[in-house]
């Protein structure tokens, strides 16, 4: 039974942003928001206080990142949790093919249920495992795009995510205000893991002050060999 707090459709500036970002997929986004704040809350995937900020902090924050993705590409979302950002991107962009990777069984159960209830089975696959596991790379590897939000510090994240990318493919790490400082701090680790220097990109959310901040790192086409100049 769904007894958790329910998400109302967005109101005020969030409503404008939501209809601009989701367009005719807004009803699907509202169904997902309700699922998050009912079943997701009951199963401890979303804190009870998240219901009131489900749009600005979660759905809109993730949806804005779709602007960085080209048409009809495939992306792998690492550590999807309750589907953020992977499911949101699949909702906003029906042209995408999305693989969600998540190690915790009860989160996987929620993701499978959400994909089914939202009718997204043709676009979204759910994988139970950790990014660095061989079974996961065999299932989803050599992709053009990897996304990850709130999964691990950048230095660790690149070690898990860059090997899943084809050379030239990009990691989009959704970070908060600390994005630039984190890239600065972990730049050496990023390059050691085979990444490019990286940059922070801000994706604007129409009508809201806070953009989504994304660290974009490409997998270098060729890894430098030890000892080469
Ligand atoms: C803080 S949650 C964030 C969930 C979601 N991305 C979000 O923004 O709400 C971190 C998630 O990363 C997952 N995770 C941790 N280590 C992982 C790994 N090595 N590979 C894949 N997922 C991992 C956890 O199980 C958890 O669901």
């Amino acid at each position: 039974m769904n007894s958790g707090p329910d998400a109302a459709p967005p109101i005020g500036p969030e409503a404008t942003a939501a209809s601009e970002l989701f367009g005719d997929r807004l009803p699907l986004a509202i169904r997902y928001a309700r699922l998050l704040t009912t079943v997701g809350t009951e199963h401890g995937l979303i804190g009870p206080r998240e219901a009131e900020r489900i749009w600005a902090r979660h759905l809109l924050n993730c949806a804005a990142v779709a602007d960085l993705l080209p048409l009809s590409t495939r992306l792998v979302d690492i550590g999807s949790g309750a589907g953020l950002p992977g499911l949101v991107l699949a909702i906003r962009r029906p042209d995408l093919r999305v693989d969600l990777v998540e190690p915790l069984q009860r989160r996987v159960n929620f993701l499978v249920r959400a994909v089914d209830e939202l009718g997204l089975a043709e676009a979204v696959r759910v994988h139970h495992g950790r990014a660095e596991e061989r079974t996961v790379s065999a299932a989803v590897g050599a992709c053009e795009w990897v996304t990850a939000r709130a999964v691990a510090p950048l230095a660790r994240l690149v070690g898990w995510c860059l090997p899943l990318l084809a050379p030239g493919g990009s990691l989009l790490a959704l970070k908060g205000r600390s994005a630039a400082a984190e890239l600065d701090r972990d730049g050496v680790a990023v390059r050691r893991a085979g990444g490019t220097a990286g940059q922070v990109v801000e994706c604007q959310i129409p009508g809201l002050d806070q953009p989504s901040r994304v660290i974009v790192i490409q997998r270098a086409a060729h890894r430098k060999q030890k000892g080469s100049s």
Side-chain angles (χ1 to χ4, degrees), residues 78-81 84 101-104 107 129-132 149-151 160:
I78 294 302
S80 302
L84 301 162
V101 176
E102 172 54 51
L104 288 190
R107 295 181 182 178
R130 308 184 73 84
E132 64 274 32
R149 190 182 87 145
V151 175
W160 296 342

